[in-house]
Amino acid sequence: MKHFLEMSPMAERILDAAQGLIQQQGYNGFSYDDVAKLVGIKKPSIHHHFPKKEDLVAVLVQRYTHSFRGELLNMEGRHASPMDRLAAYAAVFEQTFNRDRRLCVCGMLGAESGSLPDSAADEVASFFKVNLDWLTQIMGDAQNAGLIKKNCDAESLAQAYLSALEGAMVLGRGMRTVQGPADIARTFLSTVSA
Amino acid sequence: MKHFLEMSPMAERILDAAQGLIQQQGYNGFSYDDVAKLVGIKKPSIHHHFPKKEDLVAVLVQRYTHSFRGELLNMEGRHASPMDRLAAYAAVFEQTFNRDRRLCVCGMLGAESGSLPDSAADEVASFFKVNLDWLTQIMGDAQNAGLIKKNCDAESLAQAYLSALEGAMVLGRGMRTVQGPADIARTFLSTVSA
DNA sequence: GTCTATACCAGGATAGAC
DNA sequence: GTCTATCCTGGTATAGAC
């Protein structure tokens, strides 16, 4: 399987379509035919780009994690304050959610991981690790700057924050109400503030 | 469709098996044949008890919500302090999670709700409402007793708490680490404590 | 209430022509 | 790179006998 950085334009379009479907219906909820209809080619053509569904999803999650890393760098560039960075982080989730209440790709796949091929499950785990490492770093910075209370360690705060964001999207879908990750993030951040 | 309180013993066993499968694989990840094998009868016999998968899941979530209501009453009976009640609430999630990292039924179905029959999606929404109403009540009690800070309203705290618990289970599955809802709950409760 | 048998369709995947 | 045609499997569901 090719690396996601040297994908053809059509392969990219396929990944885009598949990603939307995963965010809305989950891994077991979409088919190659669904993707084919969205990008306007036939099912076997999808197989040409990604022989097996397993391949497609593994690459898709790699690409997703990569793009998230980009966002993290971006936030560091735009915001100096740890609190601003944490708020900006939540805004990424909010943006995803506001697009037809899409779930985080790895929130959906994490839930489904019991019926996922190993390759995909590994990539999902990697996504969470990348995000928790970053959040732990920022939470620590915030504590050292006296912006966040020190009665919990940075790693626990990172886990709680990411859990709350992922969970907020699940609740937001499960209920038909508007409440999204941004509101939950505001609540969380105002409770941990020093 | 019969009411879940007048189910035959076999119907109960079917629901038990289906519930485990949903918690592990999701709605689109299990089949009537999977259930049949677990309870030791054949596929058409499952259809005898629940003509359509849609029926089965709707009843299953009703029963799940009902049993949760029971747990809530139980907690009120056993714990007088709002903080103890909130901790006991998280313990219910932890118990579920500790059984082979099972997800909350409605955490899983909430994520998948885009590919769920309406009847099931409605029941999922109802589950969240019941839980948020109860949590809002307890959070308010805790605030009035001076146990929790008043810089967020009770409803927001309830949403953040439930989001964190549901999300913790998703993270716990997605990564292969041990971290579960109980740890996240501890972090959350210690940050909101007055 | 459970079974065998079966209809029907959809999903994943491949072969081979263009 | 895309297509048509096809295979195989498995999933939902029903008919009808025991």
Side-chain angles (χ1 to χ4, degrees), chain B residues 31 43 75 98 104 107 136:
Chain B
S31 72
K43 191 163 50 158
M75 282 175 230
N98 279 343
C104 167
T136 301

mmCIF file of all heavy atoms in Angstrom, chain B residues 31 43 75 98 104 107 136:
data_model
loop_
_atom_site.group_PDB
_atom_site.id
_atom_site.type_symbol
_atom_site.label_atom_id
_atom_site.label_comp_id
_atom_site.label_asym_id
_atom_site.label_seq_id
_atom_site.Cartn_x
_atom_site.Cartn_y
_atom_site.Cartn_z
ATOM 1 N N SER B 31 -24.806 -9.990 13.973
ATOM 2 C CA SER B 31 -25.911 -10.545 13.183
ATOM 3 C C SER B 31 -26.781 -11.474 14.046
ATOM 4 O O SER B 31 -26.359 -11.901 15.130
ATOM 5 C CB SER B 31 -25.363 -11.345 12.020
ATOM 6 O OG SER B 31 -24.805 -12.550 12.482
ATOM 7 N N LYS B 43 -31.001 -19.313 13.968
ATOM 8 C CA LYS B 43 -31.324 -17.949 13.544
ATOM 9 C C LYS B 43 -32.824 -17.669 13.435
ATOM 10 O O LYS B 43 -33.295 -16.656 13.983
ATOM 11 C CB LYS B 43 -30.614 -17.682 12.202
ATOM 12 C CG LYS B 43 -30.639 -16.254 11.757
ATOM 13 C CD LYS B 43 -29.614 -15.953 10.670
ATOM 14 C CE LYS B 43 -29.638 -16.926 9.506
ATOM 15 N NZ LYS B 43 -29.048 -16.333 8.277
ATOM 16 N N MET B 75 -28.575 4.014 43.981
ATOM 17 C CA MET B 75 -27.528 4.918 44.461
ATOM 18 C C MET B 75 -28.073 5.919 45.451
ATOM 19 O O MET B 75 -27.420 6.238 46.448
ATOM 20 C CB MET B 75 -26.939 5.681 43.274
ATOM 21 C CG MET B 75 -25.962 4.882 42.458
ATOM 22 S SD MET B 75 -25.465 5.849 41.032
ATOM 23 C CE MET B 75 -25.728 4.668 39.735
ATOM 24 N N ASN B 98 -15.004 -2.778 32.759
ATOM 25 C CA ASN B 98 -14.092 -3.819 33.233
ATOM 26 C C ASN B 98 -14.448 -5.207 32.705
ATOM 27 O O ASN B 98 -13.652 -6.130 32.784
ATOM 28 C CB ASN B 98 -14.058 -3.843 34.757
ATOM 29 C CG ASN B 98 -13.146 -2.773 35.308
ATOM 30 O OD1 ASN B 98 -12.316 -2.237 34.588
ATOM 31 N ND2 ASN B 98 -13.313 -2.444 36.576
ATOM 32 N N CYS B 104 -20.607 1.430 27.031
ATOM 33 C CA CYS B 104 -22.008 1.706 27.343
ATOM 34 C C CYS B 104 -22.808 1.454 26.066
ATOM 35 O O CYS B 104 -22.400 1.878 24.975
ATOM 36 C CB CYS B 104 -22.149 3.170 27.777
ATOM 37 S SG CYS B 104 -23.846 3.772 27.845
ATOM 38 N N GLY B 107 -23.463 4.612 24.433
ATOM 39 C CA GLY B 107 -22.254 5.240 23.911
ATOM 40 C C GLY B 107 -21.991 4.705 22.514
ATOM 41 O O GLY B 107 -21.763 5.463 21.568
ATOM 42 N N THR B 136 -27.911 16.318 36.482
ATOM 43 C CA THR B 136 -28.112 17.750 36.707
ATOM 44 C C THR B 136 -28.644 17.989 38.116
ATOM 45 O O THR B 136 -28.193 18.890 38.840
ATOM 46 C CB THR B 136 -29.093 18.331 35.665
ATOM 47 O OG1 THR B 136 -28.556 18.117 34.362
ATOM 48 C CG2 THR B 136 -29.302 19.820 35.889
#
